[in-house]
Amino acid sequence: IISESEYSHHALGGILPFRDVFTSFFFVSIGMLFDLSFLLREPLLIAGLTLGALLLKFLIVVLVAGLLQLHLRTAIMLGFTLSQIGEFSFILAKTGLSHELLTADHYQLFLAVSVLTMASTPFLIAIAPRAAAKHERLPLPKNLLRRFQGASNSEQAEGQAGGGLNDHLVIIGYGVNGELLVRAAESATIPFAVIEMNTDTVKREQSRGLPIFYGDASSSEILHQVHIDHARVAVVAISDASATRRIAVQVKKMNPAVYLLVRTRFVSEVEPLYALGADEVIPAEFETAVEIFARVLAQYLVPHNEIEQFTDEIRADGYQMFRSLSHKSASGSHLQRYLSKLEIRTLRIAGEAAAIGQSLLELDLRKKYATTVLAVNHKESGLQQPDPQLRFAAGDIVVIMADAEHIARGATLFSDPQS
């Protein structure tokens, strides 16, 4: 009755402290039932049964995880986490003792083994990530490994993302960042493939035709399925810091030329990721601080253009600081920092733009608008250096350069007049 009323949450808040008290009572009671002298009399027997119980439960959990098609790394971590004897077994053992199905010695043996497995749980959980990280070294049959590694992705995803991918985008992790990347890639008609560890998400997105694969991206088998060796860009957008580092190493090992962009949670993780080969690292902690800073300024009615200027300066200084230990040469994407007072802008020619049907020679951009065309991605002939005789068409992509004063004027030639 209370749970269905508006007082349910208040009642739950009053009851929760009792849960902690009764949990303490439970473990104290188990300790009072446990006969330490019995442990000292049969140390080898109890140690052997404890190891046997842990191993048996570990194997059962891993087997069930395999039947559910979870990744081997996940299965190993589950096995370590759930290998102890559970609390409900004490009720069963007490019932067995009261019905004389267990002798007093058997009951004490059960208590000793159970208490030791429960006491070992914190240590097993602590070593689980390190043990799971070495799953590829296990001498398991290839067919079994393929099952655990998610090689049984549906034929639908295999048909869409498995064949013919080249110069594409690989997205690792289908959370908020991954979903937004997918929407952007679909809008810009960029070929892509997604790797995700959540089976429900994979099944749901495969049903709507998304080229998404289930598996651990630190596995070469999974990366091979999305043709990482032919990808132009790979984005790692997961929350597991240790998995992110393993993925970065594996991606760069299989394709040293890929542009690897990594999202990480904390600023302290930026430097190690650059050392592992990441080309760009975006720390969520830093971006959150920038966003909070911008919104605080907005509340004090600081002009929007000044806020943008402040945030651009903070990002430039901050990311340069993060990369101070990265001895990479400057790439074309960072060229703009060295061009004083000049901006580089990429534009897609709109359907009603004034530049359609005209050539560079006729537009005379440099003389009339102080704007230089750096490159043109013509929809028929592809990316090329600007040809004075080339006539622009709707959908072409133009890269222009000018100072802040003139670049907006030059951009109007390639935009819709109404916009």
Side-chain angles (χ1 to χ4, degrees):
I1 293 174
I2 295 176
S3 67
E4 295 177 359
S5 71
E6 65 270 23
Y7 304 107
S8 59
H9 298 294
H10 179 73
L12 180 62
I15 293 172
L16 283 177
F18 290 99
R19 180 188 63 179
D20 299 331
V21 173
F22 288 130
T23 301
S24 302
F25 282 160
F26 168 77
F27 285 106
V28 169
S29 301
I30 295 300
M32 293 172 67
L33 291 172
F34 179 50
D35 185 357
L36 187 59
S37 62
F38 184 83
L39 173 63
L40 297 176
R41 288 200 309 270
E42 302 287 350
L44 295 179
L45 175 62
I46 293 173
L49 289 175
T50 300
L51 291 175
L54 291 172
L55 181 60
L56 180 61
K57 284 206 67 178
F58 175 84
L59 294 175
I60 291 173
V61 172
V62 171
L63 178 61
V64 172
L67 294 175
L68 295 174
Q69 295 189 347
L70 297 180
H71 192 271
L72 181 57
R73 178 173 174 272
T74 303
I76 292 174
M77 292 188 69
L78 284 173
F80 276 103
T81 305
L82 301 177
S83 58
Q84 76 280 1
I85 295 177
E87 294 86 349
F88 186 69
S89 58
F90 290 102
I91 300 175
L92 296 178
K94 187 66 176 178
T95 303
L97 181 65
S98 62
H99 287 79
E100 298 182 353
L101 297 175
L102 295 176
T103 65
D105 284 347
H106 290 158
Y107 183 64
Q108 281 300 321
L109 183 61
F110 164 78
L111 283 177
V113 172
S114 301
V115 168
L116 288 179
T117 62
M118 294 173 69
S120 66
T121 300
F123 304 101
L124 293 175
I125 292 176
I127 67 173
R130 295 194 296 273
K134 300 177 181 178
H135 64 273
E136 290 187 339
R137 301 181 187 178
L138 295 176
L140 298 176
K142 289 186 177 181
N143 291 338
L144 183 60
L145 279 175
R146 284 177 60 85
R147 180 178 184 83
F148 274 109
Q149 289 171 346
S152 58
N153 287 292
S154 71
E155 295 181 359
Q156 180 182 11
E158 188 75 36
Q160 291 176 351
L165 277 178
N166 188 47
D167 202 35
H168 58 291
L169 165 66
V170 174
I171 302 169
I172 299 169
Y174 195 67
V176 174
N177 293 281
E179 190 171 354
L180 289 175
L181 269 174
V182 165
R183 290 171 60 184
E186 289 176 334
S187 176
T189 63
I190 297 173
F192 67 92
V194 183
I195 300 175
E196 170 59 37
M197 284 284 287
N198 188 305
T199 53
D200 294 333
T201 300
V202 171
K203 291 176 182 178
R204 182 183 69 247
E205 297 303 324
Q206 281 182 357
S207 66
R208 73 177 188 90
L210 192 76
I212 184 170
F213 287 80
Y214 168 77
D216 185 350
S218 63
S219 165
S220 58
E221 178 84 17
I222 297 300
L223 291 174
H224 179 71
Q225 287 188 32
V226 297
H227 296 269
I228 192 66
D229 52 331
H230 295 145
R232 180 193 292 193
V233 179
V235 178
V236 183
I238 61 176
S239 300
D240 188 333
S242 61
T244 297
R245 290 191 288 270
R246 290 195 305 275
I247 292 169
V249 171
Q250 190 66 26
V251 167
K252 279 297 185 178
K253 179 181 177 182
M254 296 182 68
N255 185 356
V258 71
Y259 186 85
L260 179 60
L261 193 150
V262 181
R263 187 216 71 179
T264 187
R265 294 177 62 188
F266 303 114
V267 171
S268 59
E269 298 168 1
V270 172
E271 183 184 333
L273 287 168
Y274 277 127
L276 292 174
D279 295 282
E280 200 73 43
V281 181
I282 308 297
E285 184 181 42
F286 180 78
E287 286 299 322
T288 302
V290 171
E291 185 63 22
I292 292 173
F293 163 82
R295 297 195 182 197
V296 168
L297 291 185
Q299 291 299 313
Y300 284 94
L301 302 181
V302 176
H304 182 70
N305 58 338
E306 292 185 17
I307 294 176
E308 286 191 340
Q309 181 182 349
F310 291 154
T311 54
D312 289 344
E313 290 175 359
I314 289 173
R315 284 192 174 100
D317 293 342
Y319 284 114
Q320 183 63 23
M321 174 185 67
F322 297 150
R323 302 199 64 173
S324 60
L325 297 179
S326 178
H327 302 290
K328 299 177 184 289
S329 59
S331 63
S333 62
H334 304 101
L335 183 62
Q336 190 172 339
R337 283 197 301 118
Y338 302 99
L339 300 176
S340 176
K341 299 181 181 180
L342 293 180
E343 293 186 22
I344 298 175
R345 189 173 296 182
T346 303
L347 305 168
R348 186 184 295 276
I349 301 179
E352 302 294 331
I356 292 178
Q358 299 195 57
S359 66
L360 270 177
L361 201 59
E362 294 169 344
L363 289 174
D364 201 7
L365 278 169
R366 189 171 298 178
K367 183 177 180 180
K368 294 180 180 179
Y369 299 93
T371 300
T372 301
V373 176
L374 299 178
V376 179
N377 193 346
H378 196 53
K379 62 180 183 180
E380 294 181 357
S381 54
L383 185 67
Q384 57 184 292
Q385 292 181 342
D387 182 352
Q389 304 300 330
L390 176 68
R391 297 192 177 274
F392 295 110
D396 287 355
I397 296 175
V398 183
V399 182
I400 63 174
M401 180 178 69
D403 58 30
E405 180 183 350
H406 293 94
I407 196 160
R409 290 181 55 208
T412 57
L413 293 173
F414 306 101
S415 306
D416 243 330
Q418 294 81 3
S419 62

